[in-house]
Amino acid sequence: MRAEAGGRRRAFLLVELIAVLVIVGSLSCISLQTLSNSQTRERRIILNEAKNFCTWMKHRMALAARESVEFRVMLTQNTDRSYEVTIILLGGMKNLRHEIYSFDEAVLAYEGVRELIFSGRWFTLTPAATFIVKSRKMPEVRYFVTIAGTGYVDIKDKL
């Protein structure tokens, strides 16, 4: 601020205003970059979770196909309204063997019946179930995992 003859300051100098604007602009650019990096990181984490779930499902479905047995996919809802997936093999050497898949960084959302039964003889590519794998921190970050009885498992970012 420029001082008057009486010792009072009248207004800010242009240099002072520009300096403040540069500082505020720099801070906002840094915060936007940090936000963008965190969302990119979260997308990568959730995509990896969805890929891990797909690999797990493909392996279990291939096992059921090799043994020509049916399998049951059951969903168990947790207290945070997310789901765990349980696969139970029905028949063959591993009759009634079950395995549970739960997510680390993501949650599984699903709307539909809580129990799906797939036949080893069911050869159609009609999607049987679509699960939503989404972020705990940023719910807008999500991927769709579709499974069908033939061992078809796919990830999409949009339906």
Side-chain angles (χ1 to χ4, degrees):
M1 291 178 84
R2 180 173 288 194
E4 289 182 1
R8 294 179 59 207
R9 293 183 80 154
R10 206 171 47 135
F12 289 105
L13 291 174
L14 182 60
V15 173
E16 292 172 327
L17 290 174
I18 290 174
V20 169
L21 288 175
V22 166
I23 291 170
V24 169
S26 298
L27 291 175
S28 64
C29 286
I30 291 169
S31 64
L32 282 174
Q33 183 67 26
T34 303
L35 178 63
S36 174
N37 286 344
S38 67
Q39 191 169 28
T40 302
R41 182 179 175 275
E42 192 68 20
R43 281 195 178 287
R44 194 172 338 128
I45 289 171
I46 302 307
L47 180 59
N48 284 338
E49 287 269 9
K51 286 179 180 179
N52 291 341
F53 177 58
C54 283
T55 302
W56 185 81
M57 286 295 296
K58 283 180 183 179
H59 178 73
R60 282 18 177 225
M61 293 169 87
L63 176 67
R66 268 195 312 273
E67 295 193 12
S68 296
V69 297
E70 294 181 351
F71 61 94
R72 179 176 291 160
V73 177
M74 296 177 60
L75 302 169
T76 307
Q77 192 170 24
N78 297 325
T79 55
D80 64 353
R81 301 188 57 99
S82 66
Y83 293 96
E84 288 181 338
V85 178
T86 303
I87 288 188
I88 303 172
L89 297 175
L90 305 171
M93 292 176 44
K94 299 180 183 191
N95 188 29
L96 299 180
R97 177 180 157 204
H98 70 280
E99 295 184 33
I100 299 173
Y101 187 91
S102 55
F103 293 88
D104 296 325
E105 301 288 328
V107 294
L108 183 71
Y110 178 73
E111 295 179 8
V113 295
R114 301 288 182 248
E115 186 174 317
L116 305 164
I117 299 175
F118 295 97
S119 168
R121 296 171 297 280
W122 184 43
F123 293 103
T124 178
L125 284 178
T126 303
T130 299
F131 301 98
I132 304 168
V133 180
K134 62 183 182 178
S135 170
R136 293 180 193 272
K137 298 173 190 169
M138 299 178 183
E140 67 275 4
V141 176
R142 60 185 176 188
Y143 290 92
F144 299 94
V145 176
T146 303
I147 65 170
T150 58
Y152 172 82
V153 181
D154 188 33
I155 303 173
K156 296 179 181 167
D157 58 349
K158 296 178 185 168
L159 276 180

